[in-house]
Amino acid sequence: MSVPHPNSVGEPGAATPEAEPRPSPWHGQGPVVAVVALGGGVGATARYAASLLWPAPTGGFPWAVFWVNLAGCAVIGVFMVVITDVWAAHRLVRPFFGTGVLGGFTTFSTYAVDIRRLIDADHPRTALAYLFATLLGALAAVWLAVAATRRALAWRQR
């Protein structure tokens, strides 16, 4: 058997542990989750408006989703250059705009569903064209936007 230490918690004359202060939810992930949700709502609303303005005919190429995805990819390319090379943004700007707004605006899940719908409607060539055009177009949009933004910024600094 061991002898209890005289300074153990709960013993008379023992030091009481200091209560650790609770971190404020506004300094942790709470604000990040809130701004991502808010930005996602804004982006998804803009995408939905584009789909209402430019509906895809049954079996036709989904142009609205195609252009929304390419535009969103181009904007993310510009945005990432600006917030990494030019501007020291507030910690919530990137989650709000990059993850929230642009994540809600672009819709690669609808892209996948559209491909499946085209295949189910017996339009495999349109589905393949959409599959590859979106994939290559999105990658090209990001790359071109990053390159153009960096070139514009370099030219501006001369």
Side-chain angles (χ1 to χ4, degrees):
M1 211 153 99
S2 66
V3 177
H5 190 274
N7 287 332
S8 296
V9 176
E11 298 270 330
T16 57
E18 293 183 28
E20 293 195 23
R22 279 190 147 174
S24 167
W26 293 109
H27 291 13
Q29 291 299 310
V32 174
V33 171
V35 298
V36 167
L38 179 64
V42 170
T45 301
R47 174 181 27 91
Y48 181 66
S51 70
L52 290 178
L53 291 172
W54 201 355
T58 303
F61 197 91
W63 288 107
V65 173
F66 176 77
W67 289 115
V68 159
N69 284 338
L70 268 57
C73 287
V75 172
I76 197 77
V78 172
F79 177 67
M80 292 309 293
V81 169
V82 169
I83 67 166
T84 57
D85 296 357
V86 177
W87 179 41
H90 185 275
R91 74 179 189 100
L92 297 177
V93 169
R94 186 173 176 175
F96 171 75
F97 190 72
T99 305
V101 173
L102 293 175
F105 183 64
T106 58
T107 175
F108 289 93
S109 58
T110 301
Y111 157 71
V113 169
D114 285 343
I115 291 168
R116 185 68 200 177
R117 283 185 186 151
L118 287 167
I119 291 169
D120 289 346
D122 204 26
H123 297 282
R125 283 183 280 178
T126 305
L128 281 173
Y130 181 48
L131 174 91
F132 289 110
T134 300
L135 178 62
L136 296 173
L139 291 171
V142 171
W143 184 80
L144 289 169
V146 167
T149 304
R150 285 192 173 138
R151 180 169 285 203
L153 291 172
W155 176 78
R156 185 175 152 227
Q157 291 176 351
R158 289 184 193 179

